[in-house]
Amino acid sequence: MSQHDALIEKFYHAFSSKDYKRMTECYHKELVFQDPVFGPLNYEETCAMWKMLIKAGSDLKIYFDKVDSNAQQGSVNWIAVYSFSKTGRKVQNKISAQFRFKDGLIVSHHDHFDLYKWTRMAFGPIGYSLGWTPYFQNKLRTQARGNLDKFMTKS
């Protein structure tokens, strides 16, 4: 196993154990994170996001496989299974993550998943009918970012 494979595994083992502090130890201070909901985040925002999601996800389960890396970049497939807090609906989100490394840490972390598929699971009929629209997706992003900003202010 390569050094970066071990780093990715450390991150996801910490995530599955709901240990956001150990997760953030895997990140470089110059981190750039991005996903379809939160958009681009810096190191502090990303650390707060994981802490917020872990604290809210009482039934959160994380599974991962296909860890692959070299000296510059890496990838993993992972699944998050949880009840979406706003609706109580069960979500099984399949995510593909890509990483870049600097000084033995993750400096770039991009999660990719089908946002429309996620909205259908999280919102049910409303997600089916509106989840594909830019209006709905932008509103979702705005709310997620607002929740993160509030969480960071309180922490």
Side-chain angles (χ1 to χ4, degrees):
M1 178 184 310
S2 77
Q3 167 191 354
H4 293 137
D5 283 0
L7 181 66
I8 293 169
E9 289 200 8
K10 175 184 176 182
F11 181 88
Y12 285 97
H13 282 298
F15 197 178
S16 66
S17 299
K18 300 181 182 179
D19 186 347
Y20 62 86
K21 289 180 183 175
R22 210 167 95 226
M23 291 169 69
T24 61
E25 291 171 2
C26 301
Y27 283 145
H28 195 281
K29 299 292 183 195
E30 295 172 13
L31 174 76
V32 175
F33 173 89
Q34 185 155 354
D35 82 355
V37 174
F38 287 95
L41 301 175
N42 65 28
Y43 172 81
E44 288 159 0
E45 294 164 332
T46 304
C47 294
M49 175 198 65
W50 291 129
K51 183 177 180 181
M52 177 181 76
L53 294 176
I54 285 172
K55 286 185 175 265
S58 60
D59 65 345
L60 175 67
K61 301 275 189 256
I62 301 296
Y63 307 94
F64 68 96
D65 66 1
K66 298 185 181 167
V67 174
D68 186 35
S69 69
N70 60 36
Q72 290 82 33
Q73 58 193 11
S75 64
V76 69
N77 291 331
W78 65 284
I79 299 172
V81 180
Y82 57 96
S83 299
F84 182 55
S85 59
K86 284 194 184 259
T87 62
R89 295 180 62 88
K90 199 61 138 182
V91 171
Q92 183 175 331
N93 197 14
K94 295 180 180 179
I95 302 154
S96 170
Q98 279 75 44
F99 307 95
R100 296 195 57 216
F101 306 105
K102 180 177 181 181
D103 303 328
L105 297 169
I106 299 167
V107 72
S108 174
H109 179 172
H110 286 206
D111 280 348
H112 305 275
F113 59 88
D114 183 334
L115 186 55
Y116 177 47
K117 189 173 187 178
W118 182 89
T119 63
R120 294 187 321 247
M121 288 183 279
F123 291 96
I126 292 170
Y128 276 97
S129 58
L130 298 174
W132 62 271
T133 65
Y135 172 79
F136 190 90
Q137 291 183 2
N138 288 334
K139 184 172 176 147
L140 177 67
R141 289 181 184 108
T142 299
Q143 287 178 348
R145 184 59 206 221
N147 290 342
L148 178 59
D149 291 342
K150 283 182 208 168
F151 183 82
M152 289 179 71
T153 301
K154 291 179 186 176
S155 294

